[in-house]
Amino acid sequence: MVVKVYGPAYASPKRVIVCLIEKQIEFETVPVDLVKGENKNPEYLKLQPFGSLPVIQDGDFTLYVHLSFSHILKCIDSFAESRAIIKYYAEKYKSQGTTDLLGRTVEERGLVEQWLEVEAHNFHPPIYQMTTQILFFAKRGLPADENLIKESEEKLGKVLDVYEERLSKSKYLAGDFFSLADLSHLPFTQYLVGPMEKEYMIRDRKHSQTSDFPSLEQTLARSSGNF
Ligand SMILES: N[C@@H](CCC(=O)N[C@@H](CS(=O)(=O)O)C(=O)NCC(=O)O)C(=O)O
């Protein structure tokens, strides 16, 4: 069964798609329109009870869902949470595709994990707030909170300063190799320099230049729009 990725137009699903392309894993996409609320449809909620994107369906993967402590029902072939999904595929297809993504030694793997955590807990919150206020609210005709945008941009700037210092000494976040940690940043960074029109936040930090990533370019080409 070909891997199905739900919600290809959005950044978190793109995180998965970039990984699948890097790992040369065949996939297809299933559009889900957040503006129309398709992520709240009962059918989608059966796959992802929180209603967020992505979900992936993969015949090779089964997720056991605890319905109660005495029963475990096999929920065939779907799982959520983009960061968990990319770790799964990076591990399962470690020797496939353009690069290892996870690191070769225990020290490298530790650094990949470290920068994945930094992305999830330091980078993501402010950039997700900016995405919501600048992109998603506009799509829904809602007024943006300019103070919140300013505050989030300042927070993100401080995070990017930490990255700039790291990347002044290391080609990539975890070392001299492109890893899952770098990959995990790509989709929202593309939002930042693209539809959010805040390229200056990267351009003004010379070591943080987002060099060309063919897998991201291919992802954007297949993601039917930006969000
Ligand atoms: N932790 C989840 C969060 C995913 C998430 O927030 N997805 C957004 C879309 S995007 O911002 O990532 O592009 C979403 O579905 N938002 C709508 C909703 O959560 O109802 C993951 O990484 O998979």
Side-chain angles (χ1 to χ4, degrees):
M1 176 183 174
V2 172
V3 178
K4 273 187 189 174
V5 184
Y6 287 73
Y10 299 95
S12 296
K14 285 177 186 170
R15 177 178 285 122
V16 172
I17 293 171
V18 177
C19 182
L20 294 174
I21 290 173
E22 283 288 341
K23 289 283 130 186
Q24 296 169 348
I25 298 167
E26 193 185 353
F27 67 94
E28 60 192 36
T29 58
V30 179
V32 179
D33 188 326
L34 292 183
V35 178
K36 291 179 186 165
E38 291 176 353
N39 58 312
K40 301 301 185 192
N41 291 346
E43 285 310 302
Y44 186 79
L45 291 172
K46 280 180 195 163
L47 296 174
Q48 218 293 10
F50 298 106
S52 62
L53 299 170
V55 156
I56 75 107
Q57 285 187 303
D58 179 350
D60 297 340
F61 184 86
T62 58
L63 170 70
Y64 291 89
V65 178
H66 282 276
L67 277 189
S68 68
F69 290 109
S70 59
H71 296 286
I72 290 181
L73 279 187
K74 194 171 180 181
C75 168
I76 299 289
D77 67 33
S78 69
F79 65 130
E81 288 300 327
S82 60
R83 297 176 183 85
I85 294 168
I86 63 174
K87 287 183 184 178
Y88 167 76
Y89 284 108
E91 190 69 57
K92 181 171 181 178
Y93 296 93
K94 187 173 171 54
S95 54
Q96 181 172 311
T98 51
T99 172
D100 177 337
L101 292 177
L102 289 172
R104 292 145 300 196
T105 65
V106 68
E107 291 78 11
E108 285 183 351
R109 289 183 71 110
L111 284 168
V112 172
E113 282 299 329
Q114 170 189 299
W115 289 101
L116 279 169
E117 290 295 299
V118 169
E119 184 277 325
H121 303 295
N122 300 85
F123 176 86
H124 185 74
I127 203 165
Y128 189 68
Q129 190 62 268
M130 292 167 73
T131 301
T132 302
Q133 292 294 327
I134 298 170
L135 302 183
F136 291 169
F137 275 27
K139 272 278 186 185
R140 291 169 173 78
L142 300 170
D145 180 334
E146 294 303 331
N147 289 332
L148 191 49
I149 292 172
K150 182 174 182 295
E151 185 186 301
S152 301
E153 184 166 333
E154 286 167 0
K155 282 179 185 172
L156 181 63
K158 290 185 170 69
V159 174
L160 293 177
D161 288 341
V162 172
Y163 286 22
E164 178 67 0
E165 199 280 331
R166 169 63 179 169
L167 294 170
S168 68
K169 298 170 183 155
S170 175
K171 184 175 182 185
Y172 296 101
L173 288 171
D176 62 357
F177 63 104
F178 175 70
S179 79
L180 214 54
D182 307 289
L183 183 151
S184 194
H185 287 82
L186 291 178
F188 279 93
T189 302
Q190 191 276 327
Y191 270 1
L192 185 72
V193 303
M196 283 198 254
E197 299 179 346
K198 295 188 176 291
E199 190 198 3
Y200 59 85
M201 294 192 77
I202 302 294
R203 187 185 59 238
D204 296 350
R205 294 174 170 90
K206 65 182 171 61
H207 294 103
S208 304
Q209 297 308 310
T210 49
S211 53
D212 294 337
F213 291 101
S215 51
L216 178 62
E217 299 312 316
Q218 290 173 51
T219 297
L220 298 177
R222 289 193 58 168
S223 65
S224 62
N226 241 318
F227 48 88

